[in-house]
Amino acid sequence: MSANRKLQTEIDRTLKKVEEGVEVFDEVWDKVYSATQQNQKEKYEVDLKKEIKKLQRHRDQIKTWAASSDIKDKRALTDARKLIETKMEQFKVCEKETKTKTYSKEGLARETKVDPHEAARQATRDWLSEKVDALSTQIDAHEADVERLSSGKGAKRHRAEVEQLEASIKRHRWHIARLEQIARLLDNDALQHEQIDEIKEDVEYYIDANQEPDFMDAYDETMDIFESLELGELAPAGDDDAAPAADAGRRK
């Protein structure tokens, strides 16, 4: 019974996130179609893509639950899945319009006049958004594993594994906070895309390699891959507790 209550709590939490996510999606959708400047519209389109990806991750989890025989009343899950799929179709309309404009004569003519510097900035914005999404997906998977390993009679046996997952979640959230901070600084011209290019390889290595079994053997907790950007000096992080302990003392 306890396991069923935990499952229902997790379902209720996810359904609440879906409800909130749909509200945010609708707000961003309105911004896309009310934007008067092209650069604003493009930024909101990136935000819209980010929101639909979050909803799609919830949809994947909902479909898994809906297929389980442990859940008897699946109406709420079905309604949430259909709502997300409606938003997915809505997003496809926006995405299709964007592609159509890009390859239209007007779009091609405008493309030839795009400032190379602004194009590089936008590419960097997109890269930052993709990396945040990748880490968020890993966090979702880790949290599901923590929930699974922490329930049932074998919880004590899995304590060490749970602690490792929780430590990984904490590191991921810190990296996400840094990437989001970098995106804000880029938008405010406090950082240039060339500076961010210097950390891309390290960020991608962290995201790709952190789930390997021997990753922690090579990972240096005292090393800040964002150090060259002097983020603490430009805009101090709001939650120093989320950073690796050694990083706080290394900031200028």
Side-chain angles (χ1 to χ4, degrees):
M1 182 65 69
S2 177
N4 288 337
R5 282 200 299 269
K6 286 183 178 180
L7 176 59
Q8 188 58 52
T9 298
E10 184 64 23
I11 290 173
D12 291 342
R13 187 184 301 121
T14 298
L15 293 177
K16 180 64 175 176
K17 287 181 179 179
V18 170
E19 181 181 340
E20 293 170 350
V22 167
E23 290 180 3
V24 174
F25 178 92
D26 288 341
E27 289 173 3
V28 178
W29 174 273
D30 290 339
K31 290 179 180 179
V32 169
Y33 286 96
S34 62
T36 56
Q37 300 294 327
Q38 184 61 30
N39 61 340
Q40 284 183 328
K41 185 177 179 67
E42 290 173 354
K43 180 182 182 300
Y44 292 140
E45 285 171 349
V46 171
D47 292 341
L48 193 67
K49 185 174 182 179
K50 181 178 179 180
E51 295 306 322
I52 198 63
K53 283 185 177 180
K54 290 180 183 178
L55 289 172
Q56 285 175 315
R57 288 197 295 270
H58 292 320
R59 173 175 171 265
D60 291 341
Q61 180 60 70
I62 287 170
K63 288 173 68 177
T64 300
W65 284 328
S68 172
S69 58
D70 295 333
I71 302 171
K72 305 305 179 184
D73 187 354
K74 302 178 182 180
R75 288 174 295 179
L77 293 173
T78 300
D79 290 344
R81 177 181 59 78
K82 289 181 178 179
L83 178 59
I84 293 172
E85 289 171 353
T86 298
K87 297 304 170 182
M88 289 168 62
E89 291 300 318
Q90 194 173 336
F91 174 75
K92 287 180 182 179
V93 172
C94 178
E95 190 175 41
K96 185 177 180 180
E97 289 178 358
T98 300
K99 290 180 179 179
T100 300
K101 289 178 181 178
T102 299
Y103 292 104
S104 68
K105 291 182 180 179
E106 294 82 4
L108 291 172
R110 186 176 66 249
E111 188 176 2
T112 62
K113 299 178 183 178
V114 169
D115 177 13
H117 179 72
E118 181 56 36
R121 276 164 54 91
Q122 185 58 51
T124 301
R125 289 189 194 99
D126 293 345
W127 178 84
L128 289 166
S129 179
E130 288 173 5
K131 299 313 160 188
V132 167
D133 286 346
L135 286 170
S136 297
T137 298
Q138 291 185 12
I139 287 176
D140 288 346
H142 286 348
E143 288 178 336
D145 287 340
V146 167
E147 179 72 21
R148 174 176 55 81
L149 295 171
S150 299
S151 61
K153 296 181 179 180
K156 290 184 178 179
R157 186 171 69 253
H158 297 300
R159 183 174 299 170
E161 188 176 352
V162 167
E163 289 176 353
Q164 289 178 355
L165 288 167
E166 289 175 339
S168 181
I169 290 170
K170 183 177 180 180
R171 281 194 304 273
H172 283 11
R173 285 176 175 160
W174 180 77
H175 281 78
I176 286 174
R178 280 308 203 193
L179 291 169
E180 290 176 339
Q181 180 185 2
I182 291 168
R184 291 193 298 271
L185 293 170
L186 177 66
D187 287 339
N188 294 332
D189 290 324
L191 279 178
Q192 301 303 313
H193 66 85
E194 295 91 344
Q195 293 173 274
I196 300 170
D197 288 344
E198 296 177 4
I199 61 138
K200 283 185 175 180
E201 184 176 349
D202 287 338
V203 172
E204 289 176 352
Y205 171 77
Y206 174 78
I207 294 173
D208 293 340
N210 79 83
Q211 298 189 85
E212 296 295 329
D214 58 349
F215 173 74
M216 289 308 299
D217 294 337
Y219 182 71
D220 185 355
E221 290 278 5
T222 67
M223 186 173 183
D224 178 7
I225 61 177
F226 305 103
E227 183 177 23
S228 64
L229 301 182
E230 298 184 331
L231 298 179
E233 186 173 293
L234 288 170
D239 183 6
D240 287 339
D241 291 338
D247 179 54
R250 279 149 49 87
R251 279 190 213 123
K252 297 180 180 180

